[in-house]
Amino acid sequence: MNASTLLLEWKVDASPFRNRVVLQQMGLVFGIPIVLLGLFMVAITEQNRWQVALQVMAVTGGVMLGLLLLVMLVFTLVGYEQHFQLDDEGVQAKVSGRTSAFLKLVRIGLLFSGRPSAMGAGLVMRTGDAIRWRDVAKVEVDERQRQMTLYRKGGSPFLLACTAENFATVREIVQAKTGA
């Protein structure tokens, strides 16, 4: 994509906690295990089944909520800035600003943690993504969030976050390049 003509370039604060889809997915990711844990407690407890299950669910939910609030605090303090480049070949996105520096520190911390799984996570942590126009199978537009989700023919979707000023232009270019 480097030899292509740059059409547009911008930065956006893309905090995941402002994204409706991410919030819905977090509800499922945290909610389902808590409910399953409660059902498991009902199955293995002989006395006061529902009371024990609700207590375990409350404590587990409280711990998860506390950890989630800690992560939200870090995102609020550091931010989550993304830099997008749109050209003739496709779109590139990478974290930038304080987010990039923070993720480098996290990666270094994971590499020196002494735990093989954390070390591996530090090595494979992605800070950027790209998608070529020819690989886009479908485009979903969320006008309220000023975002477009570009679905690959194979692989994970690409979230294209826009500013209020460039959303219409980016949408027009994406539609022209993908035929969506």
Side-chain angles (χ1 to χ4, degrees):
M1 282 214 235
N2 295 338
S4 298
T5 304
L6 184 65
L7 301 175
L8 211 52
E9 186 172 19
W10 70 97
K11 291 182 181 180
V12 65
D13 178 16
S15 174
F17 300 108
R18 293 184 186 155
N19 186 315
R20 179 181 46 85
V21 174
V22 171
L23 293 174
Q24 287 173 343
Q25 292 297 316
M26 281 195 317
L28 292 173
V29 166
F30 290 115
I32 291 172
I34 291 172
V35 170
L36 291 176
L37 181 62
L39 293 174
F40 178 72
M41 292 308 296
V42 166
I44 67 168
T45 307
E46 293 184 17
Q47 296 177 348
N48 300 330
R49 291 175 185 230
W50 293 105
Q51 182 181 3
V52 170
L54 289 175
Q55 286 174 341
V56 168
M57 289 171 63
V59 169
T60 305
V63 169
M64 286 185 169
L65 182 63
L67 292 172
L68 184 60
L69 290 174
L70 183 64
V71 169
M72 288 177 78
L73 176 66
V74 169
F75 270 102
T76 301
L77 294 175
V78 174
Y80 193 79
E81 185 177 89
Q82 278 193 300
H83 177 245
F84 289 95
Q85 289 182 323
L86 191 143
D87 60 28
D88 288 332
E89 295 291 319
V91 185
Q92 293 181 11
K94 62 182 176 180
V95 294
S96 63
R98 292 188 305 184
T99 308
S100 179
F102 177 73
L103 290 178
K104 286 177 186 172
L105 290 174
V106 168
R107 179 179 282 163
I108 291 168
L110 290 172
L111 289 174
F112 290 113
S113 70
R115 296 186 332 241
S117 62
M119 293 170 148
L123 289 172
V124 299
M125 183 188 306
R126 293 176 58 185
T127 58
D129 194 8
I131 186 170
R132 296 185 183 276
W133 298 125
R134 66 175 180 250
D135 296 333
V136 176
K138 177 183 165 189
V139 177
E140 272 184 15
V141 178
D142 184 349
E143 292 187 36
R144 207 175 88 228
Q145 297 278 333
R146 292 185 302 273
Q147 296 176 343
M148 286 170 258
T149 305
L150 310 178
Y151 291 95
R152 291 179 168 91
K153 292 176 183 169
S156 61
F158 182 96
L159 182 65
L160 181 58
C162 302
T163 64
E165 296 80 28
N166 75 356
F167 177 72
T169 305
V170 172
R171 182 179 183 176
E172 186 177 301
I173 292 170
V174 168
Q175 288 175 335
K177 295 290 186 181
T178 63

